[in-house]
C-alpha cells in the first residue's frame, strides 16, 4: 500500500519549471508523484492537506546555519536547531563546521549525520572544514569528508586567511565536485571591531568594521577563483562594494555564487543606536548602512546574489546579556527569516514569490549539489507551504531554537511558514510542529 | 521638567533644557564649596555607589565629594578588589548593589554603551561617569559650566577640540552638548585619530591644529589615550607632540583671551606643554572645581532632594 500525501488547492510556485498556478500536489513514497489541477485522494491511504489560499513551494534550504553540535549544545543542538528550521519553513539546513571539535574529519561528519538521524526533523547537510581545526594552515581531509556526506567546505566563522591555502583548497576540491564557502573578512582591518565603521561607530564610540574589510577579501577570493577555476561561494555578503565586485566577476565568467542574510537586507547600523546598544544587533559581518541595504536588494533582484541564508547563530542568553564588546556576534535566524523576507521584500514588491523560491530553495540546492529545490516529478517530497496573510508578532520566547537572540523582537510581520514537509512527512503544519 | 529618578547616560540624549537646569543649580550649589563647613543636609540618607571598572582620580573623587557635601553616603567599588576578579558579571554585580539599598549608581567602564546596558539591568538611576569611547556627560557639563564662568555664553563661541578625538568620550560629549547650546566647534588631530563622518555631528574637522584653533575662544586639549592605542595610529609621542601638541606657537592662532582646557590627566610634554598647562590662560583646575558643583547638582536633581 503506497504512502500518499496530497496537498490540495494551493498556489504552486516552482522556479525550476517556472510554474505559478493553483495545483494539487501528490507525494507518493516520499517523492513528488504528480501535479495537476485536481487530484482525487485514494480512500484510506492518502493524507490530505488543505492549502487553499496558501503558497506551495519546493522546500526551503538554509545553506548557512550553526547547529552548535558537537561541543556547544548549551547554545543549540541538532534536535532544537532542526525543530527551529521546521518552524521556520526549512526542509533542510547545511551546518557550519565551527563546532568543538571542528567538523574537520569524516568521523565528525559521520557523528553529525548519526545524531541527525536520531534527533533531526529536517534534512541536515554537514559542511566540512577546509583546514585542520579551521586553523587555516593545512588542508583537512576533504575527500574523506565528502565521501562521508559533507556537501561543501568552509572555515566559516573565520576566513581562509592565506591566499595560497585558499588556492590549494579550490584546486583540490575539483576532484570532489564540492563548493568552497569562504567567509570574506580581512582580519587586520576588522580587528577589535564591534559594528559597522561610519557615522554610527563615531556616535556610539564602538569600534568600527569597515566595508573594505569584507571587500578586500571578496576581491582576493574572486582572483583566486579565477586563477583556479574552482567553485567558490561567498558567505553573508553585506556591502555595496562586495556585490559590485561579484557582479563584475560573474560577467567575466568566474565561477562564483553568494548569499545574503535577511538581517543584512533589512536592518542598518542605526538599529544599534536606536536599540540602546542592544547586543542582539551585534553580528558579523555587521549591520551596514542604508546604501548597502539598497545595493543588496538591487543585487537580489538582478541575480548577482544567488541565495538567502540565515547564518543562524544561536547564543545563550548569558552571552548576550553583557557589555557590548563582550557579547558574542550572531543572530538566531531560522524562525524569522521567511516571515521577514515576505514582509519586507515580497509584499512590498522588491522580489516576487518565484524569486523567493529561487533564492531560498532552488539555488541553494544547486550550489550545494543536494536533492530538492524543485517540484518536478521524482524529486524529494520536500515542500514549504506559506501563509501569505497571517499577521503576528515575533516573540523569541516562543522559538524552538535555544537561541533567543534576535533584534526583531516584537516586530509585527505579515506572512509566515505554514507547513514544512520533508520526504512526504509533515513535520510542521498550521504553525505547530508535528513531530 | 524633572530629572528625578532618571538616568544620565549621554548628552546626545539629554535635552538642552535639562542641561541648563543642571548648570543653573550647579551655579547656586558652588557656593557651598567655599563655606567653612562644606555640608548641606539635602541628600541625607541617600547612598551613591561609585562603580568604577577603569582607573579614575578626578571623576571618582569628585562624585564622592559631591555626595558628601550633599550629605549622601558614597560607597565605592574597585575592580581590583571585587568579585569581578572571580568572574562576576556586571549585571550580577550591579543587581547585588541595588539589593543592598543603593539609591544611585555612578559607573565608569572601559566598554562603550555599558551604562546603557546597566540602565536596562537596574531600576535605580545610572549616571555615566565615562563609558569607553562613547560619552562622559558629566565632564562635558562641567566643561560647559567652566566656559560659562569665563565667557558668560556658549552661543556663537568658537571652540577648538584638539587631539585624540577618535578615542575620546570627552570630545563626543562636548560636541553633543556644546552644539546643542549653539557653539561652533572645530576638531583637529591626525587623521588616524579622527573618527569617520565626524562632520555629520555638526563640527568642522581639520588635520592640522592651527586651522582649527584659528580665532578660537576656547582651546580644548584632549588627552592622548595611550592605553587605547591598539594599532600604529601615529609613529611616536615625540612626533605627535611636534605636530599636534599644544604649545605657545599653536596657541597664538587663537583669540588673545582664549582659554585652554584639558580633562586630565595630562601627558605633559605630549599633548600640551607645561608652560601652557600652567599659564594664566589655563582653566584646567577651575574645571576640576566646577566638576564637584556640577555633580552635586546632578545628584540633587536625580535623587530628588527630599521625599
Amino acid at each position: 500500500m503506497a504512502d500518499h500525501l496530497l496537498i490540495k488547492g494551493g498556489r504552486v510556485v516552482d522556479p525550476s519549471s517556472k510554474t505559478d498556478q493553483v495545483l494539487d500536489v501528490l507525494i507518493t513514497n516520499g517523492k513528488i508523484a504528480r501535479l495537476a489541477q485536481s487530484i482525487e485522494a485514494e480512500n484510506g491511504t492518502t493524507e490530505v492537506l488543505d492549502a487553499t489560499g496558501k503558497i506551495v513551494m519546493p522546500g526551503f534550504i538554509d545553506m548557512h546555519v550553526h547547529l552548535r553540535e558537537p561541543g556547544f549544545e548549551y547554545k543549540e543542538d541538532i534536535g532544537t536547531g532542526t525543530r527551529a528550521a521546521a518552524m521556520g519553513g526549512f526542509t533542510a539546513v547545511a551546518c557550519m563546521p565551527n563546532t568543538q571539535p571542528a567538523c574537520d574529519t569524516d568521523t565528525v561528519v559521520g557523528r553529525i549525520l548519526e545524531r541527525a538521524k536520531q534527533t533531526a526533523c529536517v534534512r541536515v547537510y554537514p559542511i566540512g572544514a577546509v583546514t585542520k581545526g579551521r586553523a587555516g594552515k593545512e588542508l583537512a581531509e576533504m575527500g574523506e569528508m565528502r565521501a562521508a556526506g559533507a556537501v561543501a567546505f568552509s572555515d566559516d566563522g573565520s576566513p581562509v586567511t592565506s591566499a595560497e591555502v585558499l588556492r590549494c583548497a579550490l584546486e583540490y576540491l575539483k576532484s570532489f565536485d564540492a563548493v568552497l564557502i569562504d567567509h570574506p573578512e580581512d582580519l587586520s582591518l576588522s580587528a577589535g571591531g564591534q559594528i559597522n565603521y561610519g557615522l554610527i561607530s563615531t556616535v556610539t564610540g564602538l569600534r568600527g568594521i569597515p566595508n573594505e574589510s569584507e571587500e578586500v577579501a571578496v576581491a582576493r577570493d574572486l582572483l583566486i577563483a579565477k586563477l583556479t577555476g574552482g567553485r567558490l561561494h561567498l558567505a553573508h555578503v553585506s556591502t555595496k562594494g562586495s556585490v559590485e565586485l561579484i557582479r563584475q566577476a560573474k560577467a567575466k565568467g568566474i565561477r562564483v555564487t553568494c548569499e545574503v542574510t535577511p538581517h543584512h537586507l533589512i536592518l542598518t547600523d542605526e538599529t544599534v543606536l536606536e536599540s540602546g546598544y542592544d547586543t542582539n544587533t551585534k553580528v558579523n559581518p555587521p549591520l551596514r548602512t542604508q546604501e548597502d541595504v539598497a545595493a543588496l536588494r538591487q543585487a537580489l533582484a538582478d541575480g548577482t546574489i544567488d541565495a538567502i541564508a540565515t547564518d543562524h547563530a544561536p547564543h545563550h542568553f548569558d552571552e548576550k546579556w553583557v557589555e557590548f564588546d563582550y557579547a558574542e556576534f550572531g543572530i538566531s535566524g531560522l524562525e524569522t527569516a521567511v516571515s521577514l523576507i515576505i514582509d519586507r521584500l515580497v509584499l512590498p514588491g522588491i522580489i516576487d514569490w518565484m524569486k523567493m523560491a529561487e533564492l531560498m530553495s532552488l539555488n541553494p540546492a544547486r550550489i550545494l549539489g543536494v536533492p530538492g529545490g524543485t517540484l518536478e516529478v521524482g524529486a524529494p517530497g520536500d515542500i514549504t507551504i506559506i501563509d501569505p496573510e497571517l499577521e503576528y508578532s515575533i516573540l523569541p520566547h516562543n522559538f524552538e531554537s535555544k537561541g533567543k537572540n534576535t533584534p526583531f523582537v516584537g516586530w509585527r510581520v505579515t506572512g509566515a511558514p505554514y507547513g514544512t514537509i520533508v520526504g512526504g512527512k509533515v513535520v510542521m503544519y498550521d504553525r505547530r510542529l508535528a513531530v | 521638567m524633572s530629572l528625578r529618578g532618571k538616568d544620565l547616560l549621554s548628552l546626545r540624549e539629554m535635552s538642552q533644557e535639562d542641561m541648563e537646569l543642571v548648570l543653573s543649580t550647579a551655579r547656586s550649589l558652588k557656593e557651598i564649596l567655599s563655606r567653612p563647613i562644606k555640608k548641606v543636609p539635602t541628600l541625607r540618607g541617600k547612598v551613591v555607589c561609585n562603580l568604577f571598572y577603569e582607573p579614575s582620580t578626578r571623576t571618582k573623587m569628585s562624585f564622592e565629594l559631591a555626595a558628601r557635601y550633599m550629605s549622601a553616603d558614597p560607597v565605592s567599588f574597585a575592580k581590583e578588589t571585587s568579585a569581578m576578579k572571580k568572574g562576576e558579571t556586571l549585571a550580577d554585580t550591579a543587581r547585588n548593589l541595588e539589593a543592598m539599598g543603593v539609591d544611585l549608581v555612578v559607573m565608569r567602564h572601559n566598554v562603550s554603551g555599558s551604562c546603557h546596558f546597566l540602565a536596562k539591568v537596574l531600576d535605580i538611576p545610572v549616571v555615566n561617569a565615562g563609558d569607553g569611547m562613547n560619552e562622559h556627560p558629566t565632564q562635558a557639563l562641567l566643561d560647559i559650566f567652566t566656559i560659562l564662568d569665563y565667557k558668560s555664553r556658549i552661543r556663537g563661541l568658537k571652540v577648538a577640540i584638539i587631539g585624540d578625538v577618535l578615542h575620546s568620550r570627552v570630545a563626543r560629549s562636548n560636541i553633543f552638548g556644546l552644539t546643542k547650546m549653539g557653539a561652533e566647534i572645530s576638531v583637529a588631530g591626525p587623521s588616524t585619530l579622527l573618527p569617520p563622518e565626524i562632520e555629520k555631528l555638526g563640527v568642522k574637522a581639520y588635520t592640522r591644529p592651527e586651522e582649527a584653533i584659528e580665532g578660537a575662544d576656547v582651546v580644548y586639549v584632549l588627552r592622548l589615550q595611550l592605553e587605547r592605542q591598539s594599532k600604529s595610529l601615529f609613529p611616536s609621542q615625540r612626533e605627535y607632540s611636534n605636530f599636534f601638541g599644544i604649545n605657545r606657537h599653536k596657541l597664538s592662532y587663537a583669540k588673545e583671551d582664549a582659554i585652554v582646557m584639558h580633562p586630565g590627566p595630562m601627558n605633559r610634554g605630549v599633548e600640551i606643554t607645561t608652560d601652557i598647562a600652567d599659564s594664566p590662560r589655563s582653566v584646567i583646575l577651575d574645571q576640576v572645581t566646577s566638576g564637584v558643583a556640577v555633580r552635586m547638582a546632578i545628584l540633587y536633581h536625580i535623587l530628588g532632594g527630599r521625599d
Side-chain angles (χ1 to χ4, degrees), chain B residues 6-58:
Chain B
K6 289 188 186 158
D7 304 309
L8 201 177
L9 304 177
S10 71
L11 291 197
R12 177 175 60 80
E13 295 157 298
M14 193 175 194
S15 68
Q16 191 188 340
E17 227 179 7
D18 285 344
M19 284 166 53
E20 280 167 357
L21 177 66
V22 168
L23 293 168
S24 77
T25 307
R27 184 73 52 214
S28 48
L29 292 177
K30 192 181 175 189
E31 170 267 329
I32 294 168
L33 302 180
S34 50
R35 288 185 193 173
I37 297 171
K38 293 188 276 287
K39 216 171 185 64
V40 292
T42 318
L43 297 180
R44 202 165 51 198
K46 300 288 185 186
V47 180
V48 173
C49 179
N50 286 319
L51 184 56
F52 276 57
Y53 282 86
E54 237 186 18
S56 164
T57 307
R58 262 157 302 280

Side-chain angles (χ1 to χ4, degrees), chain B residues 32 75 111 137 275:
Chain B
I32 294 168
V75 292
V111 175
D275 61 329

Side-chain angles (χ1 to χ4, degrees), chain B residues 173-241:
Chain B
S173 283
N174 269 299
I175 288 169
F176 292 125
L178 284 166
T179 51
K180 258 178 214 177
M181 297 185 69
E184 291 171 30
I185 301 180
S186 305
V187 301
S191 199
T192 47
L193 294 179
L194 293 179
E197 304 185 40
I198 181 81
E199 292 200 325
K200 287 193 179 159
L201 303 184
V203 307
K204 291 205 176 91
Y206 300 95
T207 50
R208 297 177 59 83
E210 294 85 347
E211 293 176 303
I213 294 173
E214 183 74 49
D217 299 286
V218 177
V219 176
Y220 199 111
V221 187
L222 297 172
R223 186 171 71 85
L224 188 61
Q225 302 206 26
L226 301 168
E227 73 280 15
R228 290 188 222 275
Q229 310 290 346
S230 53
K231 293 172 274 185
S232 54
L233 296 170
F234 58 93
S236 69
Q237 291 185 35
R238 180 174 165 279
E239 177 160 320
Y240 180 90
S241 164

Side-chain angles (χ1 to χ4, degrees), chain A residues 188-189 191 197-199 201-207 273 275-279 320-326, chain B residues 12 90-91 109-114 116-117 120-121 133-134 167 172 176 195-198 200-201 228 230:
Chain A
S188 71
L189 285 172
Y197 175 85
L199 178 62
S201 68
T202 292
V203 171
T204 57
L206 294 167
R207 286 181 192 266
L273 190 61
S275 67
Y277 295 82
D278 181 357
T279 55
K320 287 286 195 180
W321 192 239
V322 289
E323 297 91 318
F324 205 92
D325 285 15
Y326 304 157
Chain B
R12 177 175 60 80
L90 170 58
H109 201 293
N110 53 303
V111 175
S112 301
S114 295
H116 284 81
F117 170 63
K120 291 179 191 180
V121 171
M133 308 187 294
N134 178 37
H167 298 107
R172 282 174 179 75
F176 292 125
E197 304 185 40
I198 181 81
K200 287 193 179 159
L201 303 184
R228 290 188 222 275
S230 53

Side-chain angles (χ1 to χ4, degrees), chain A residues 341-370:
Chain A
I341 295 300
I342 296 170
D343 188 81
R344 295 296 159 137
L345 296 172
V346 178
L347 297 181
I350 295 161
I351 59 172
D352 59 16
W353 295 106
M354 190 68 81
K355 187 75 185 174
M356 180 180 181
E358 194 184 311
L359 290 162
M360 301 188 77
S361 179
L362 178 63
N363 289 351
R366 286 185 177 166
I367 293 164
L368 295 174
V370 298

